[in-house]
């Protein structure tokens, strides 16, 4: 049984009354874990037919997710291929509430490591623009890796303070998710480190920060747009009262729905989510990232794979780096400084084109040359080994069954491993 902070326990006792004993008993069972199938790569039904470990029942509030209790599901080959994302089940309730649709402008303001970003992207099906922002640069890099692993093509990953985003893109987004940093009362089982960090001072600090983030989100949202505010905590200061105070400061918003998942009432560790709508009003456009025309890059890409029609290139130069990187822009890509301005295609120094890992993960299924491996063979590739092949000289996409894992470059019957070192399997 987890040793919970005394003051937290007292507060929950007071709030829940006779339900407290059931709430408290929920801490005696192991944390619930979930797996969300990535429909950008495979349907939930098809994944069930080849799942390498048993899956439990469906998560009621997310159409592609199941409860699971596997040993190291993050170490499986299919995880490397981006067929699924591992996420605590109740945390899956917030993104569907936003009801994102194809072609919309969507912002995930506090996005790392990307659970909800990847969920939103699945509903957008590669259309519109999804800005996934994470203030912490190190965490933003992990977010970028997750969007790439899942083969997301329409996402810009940024690492900006919400205030700066609000200055640049007022009244721009159709939908915004604010999955705020919080005191994490729903994380006590999954991350016991959160227990000693808990205090009433921290609850107050989190509430103040959430208030600031929400006020910036209010500026970023277009008239008629929707906003979901969520936390993984139970403190009313950060949940119901935060929403109440926001509505008092922002009469242009109304509350449409509010959910509080508590661990003794649902199969999940607990989450809070509120859906708000902004009154009809202005929707502003933004300056967009300029398209780059490069026949040479288009030619190199065409030799590797059959890309979808209408791809718009964007050239990004990093100071001090000779070869510029090329991206495929989302439908609408606002001019923002970003870690990823859409899908990374590769770098081109004027002579040689080096394809990006993200390109293989998103469009590798359309490659002209594929090296198809079994699950066992794929493990060796994921460990960084070379692969013998009868393919001729040049780049190929290495796949486990039909699912891309990364690039290989063949010389004399051997595919050299081009999987980035940081993404390799380590055990
Ligand atoms: N949405 C993520 C997911 O589903 O994987 C989890 C987000 S986590 C609950 C909250 C995030 O907010 C953290 O990654 C944290 O670094 C970020 N954050 C902290 N302070 C922030 C601030 N002032 N503005 C925006 N984001 C902030």
């Amino acid at each position: 049984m987890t040793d919970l902070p005394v003051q937290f326990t007292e507060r929950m006792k007071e709030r829940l009354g006779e339900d407290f004993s059931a709430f408290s008993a929920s801490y005696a069972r192991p944390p619930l874990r979930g797996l969300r199938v990535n429909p950008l790569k495979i349907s939930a039904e098809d994944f069930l037919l080849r799942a390498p470990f048993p899956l439990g029942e469906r998560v009621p509030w997310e159409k592609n997710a199941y409860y699971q209790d596997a040993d190291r599901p993050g170490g499986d080959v299919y995880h490397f291929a981006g067929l699924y994302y591992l996420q605590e089940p109740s945390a899956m309730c917030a993104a569907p509430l936003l009801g994102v649709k194809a072609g919309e402008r969507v912002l995930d303001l506090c996005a790392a490591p990307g659970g909800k970003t990847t969920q939103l992207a699945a509903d957008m099906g590669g259309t519109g623009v999804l800005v996934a922002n994470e203030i912490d640069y190190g965490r933003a890099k992990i977010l970028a890796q997750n969007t790439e692993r899942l083969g997301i093509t329409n996402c810009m990953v940024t690492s900006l303070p919400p205030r700066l985003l609000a200055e640049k893109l007022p009244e721009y987004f159709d939908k915004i998710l604010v999955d705020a940093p919080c005191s994490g009362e729903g994380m006590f089982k999954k991350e016991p480190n959160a227990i000693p960090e808990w205090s009433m001072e921290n609850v107050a600090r989190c509430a103040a920060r959430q208030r600031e983030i929400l006020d910036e989100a209010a500026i970023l949202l277009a008239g008629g747009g929707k906003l979901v505010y969520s936390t993984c905590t139970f403190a009313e200061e950060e949940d119901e009262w935060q929403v109440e105070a926001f509505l008092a400061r922002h009469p242009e918003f109304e509350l449409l729905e509010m959910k509080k998942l508590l661990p003794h009432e649902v199969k999940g560790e607990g989450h809070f989510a509120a859906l708000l709508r902004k009154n009809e009003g202005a929707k502003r456009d933004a300056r967009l990232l300029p398209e780059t025309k490069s026949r040479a890059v288009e030619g190199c890409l065409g030799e590797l794979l059959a890309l979808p029609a209408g791809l718009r290139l964007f050239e990004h130069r990093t100071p001090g780096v000779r070869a510029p990187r090329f991206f495929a822009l989302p439908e609408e890509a606002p001019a923002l400084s970003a870690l990823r301005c859409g899908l990374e295609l590769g770098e081109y120094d004027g002579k040689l084109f080096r394809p990006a890992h993200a390109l293989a993960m998103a469009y590798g299924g359309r490659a002209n040359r594929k090296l198809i491996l079994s699950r066992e063979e794929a493990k060796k590739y994921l460990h960084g080994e070379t692969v013998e092949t009868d393919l001729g000289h040049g780049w190929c996409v290495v796949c486990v069954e039909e699912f891309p894992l990364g690039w290989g470059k063949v010389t004399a019957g051997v595919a050299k491993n081009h999987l980035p070192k940081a993404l390799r399997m380590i055990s």
Side-chain angles (χ1 to χ4, degrees):
M1 172 93 173
T2 320
D3 254 340
L4 301 173
V6 175
Q7 204 177 357
F8 163 74
T9 311
E10 290 305 318
R11 276 162 55 90
M12 291 308 291
K13 223 181 250 175
E14 200 181 314
R15 262 220 337 262
L16 295 175
E18 59 187 25
D19 287 347
F20 177 76
S21 55
F23 174 79
S24 171
S26 76
Y27 285 84
R29 50 160 223 249
L32 286 157
R33 300 188 293 155
L35 175 155
R36 189 164 41 74
V37 180
N38 174 18
L40 299 176
K41 301 240 174 184
I42 187 169
S43 70
E45 292 69 29
D46 287 347
F47 182 75
L48 275 188
L49 297 177
R50 61 172 103 198
F53 40 76
L55 292 173
E57 61 192 79
R58 266 182 196 263
V59 175
W61 42 83
E62 162 54 62
K63 55 187 179 302
N64 297 311
Y66 301 87
Y67 292 92
Q68 60 84 21
D69 197 15
D71 183 30
R72 295 191 60 247
D76 190 86
V77 172
Y78 288 157
H79 186 256
F80 282 78
L83 301 200
Y84 56 86
Y85 190 96
L86 298 167
Q87 194 176 13
E88 191 283 307
S90 56
M92 298 177 192
C93 77
L97 206 55
L98 200 50
V100 297
K101 296 196 189 71
E104 287 184 328
R105 300 170 182 170
V106 181
L107 170 65
D108 187 356
L109 190 50
C110 311
K116 296 179 180 78
T117 297
T118 52
Q119 215 173 348
L120 294 168
D123 285 339
M124 296 172 79
T127 65
V129 62
L130 172 58
V131 176
N133 182 67
E134 167 56 46
I135 198 165
D136 179 315
Y137 190 78
R139 286 173 63 79
K141 286 203 260 184
I142 296 168
L143 167 66
Q145 280 176 7
N146 278 327
T147 61
E148 293 183 352
R149 182 171 61 83
L150 270 71
I152 294 166
T153 55
N154 61 333
C155 183
M156 293 181 66
V157 178
T158 58
S159 183
L160 300 167
R163 176 162 303 169
L164 204 101
L165 267 175
E167 279 168 18
K168 290 197 174 288
L169 299 174
E171 296 169 333
Y172 180 76
F173 291 99
D174 300 307
K175 305 269 168 75
I176 299 182
L177 177 67
V178 176
D179 186 35
C182 70
S183 60
E185 292 171 354
M187 302 289 280
F188 288 163
K189 268 199 280 177
K190 193 178 157 214
E191 286 177 23
N193 293 345
I195 297 175
E197 276 169 28
W198 187 92
S199 66
M200 277 314 292
E201 291 72 34
N202 194 34
V203 169
R205 249 193 320 271
C206 289
R209 190 161 51 173
Q210 291 152 358
R211 176 191 163 109
E212 283 172 19
I213 298 173
L214 274 171
D215 285 346
E216 303 302 345
I219 298 170
L220 285 153
L221 193 66
K226 287 183 180 166
L227 183 153
V228 164
Y229 169 71
S230 63
T231 74
C232 59
T233 207
F234 311 130
E236 284 148 315
E237 293 86 339
E238 302 177 59
D239 293 351
E240 295 86 345
W241 300 347
Q242 183 70 263
V243 171
E244 233 173 76
F246 176 82
L247 290 169
R249 292 195 304 284
H250 294 276
E252 73 278 20
F253 277 81
E254 60 173 326
L255 177 65
L256 298 182
E257 200 179 334
M258 195 146 73
K259 285 184 178 200
K260 190 140 191 168
L261 306 187
L262 290 168
H264 61 294
E265 291 176 345
V266 298
K267 283 186 74 182
E269 299 310 318
H271 221 74
F272 171 81
L275 173 65
L276 305 157
R277 185 179 174 280
K278 193 173 182 178
N279 290 347
E280 291 305 330
K283 175 169 172 173
R284 294 208 232 173
D285 290 329
R287 196 161 61 82
L288 300 181
L289 286 174
E291 196 178 334
T292 313
K293 293 281 174 207
S294 171
R295 283 265 165 82
V297 170
E298 280 170 22
C300 295
L301 284 165
E303 282 174 23
L304 296 174
L305 27 74
L307 283 171
L311 207 72
R312 294 178 312 120
L313 298 186
F314 174 71
E315 180 179 329
H316 182 270
R317 286 184 180 269
T318 312
V321 178
R322 206 166 73 87
R325 291 154 77 202
F326 284 82
F327 291 82
L329 291 172
E331 269 171 25
E332 252 181 291
L336 289 173
S337 134
L339 280 79
R340 300 283 188 278
C341 316
L343 174 70
E344 185 162 9
L345 301 170
E347 53 182 46
Y348 182 63
D349 64 5
K351 286 196 192 111
L352 286 176
F353 182 79
R354 194 184 155 86
H357 177 69
L359 175 63
M361 296 307 282
Y363 290 130
R366 310 164 74 118
N368 297 332
R369 288 148 45 89
K370 286 189 264 187
L371 206 171
I372 308 288
L373 304 179
S374 66
R375 281 174 53 81
E376 275 313 306
E377 291 165 333
K379 274 189 201 159
K380 294 185 186 161
Y381 170 77
L382 289 170
H383 276 105
E385 292 183 23
T386 53
V387 188
E388 283 185 20
T389 174
D390 49 17
L391 285 175
H393 181 84
W395 292 104
C396 62
V397 169
V398 180
C399 302
V400 54
E401 299 154 0
E402 67 266 46
F403 306 109
L405 291 169
W407 291 102
K409 194 170 186 186
V410 182
T411 321
V414 177
K416 188 170 171 224
N417 198 311
H418 280 264
L419 183 66
K421 287 206 169 63
L423 302 180
R424 291 182 183 174
M425 218 180 226
I426 38 184
S427 59

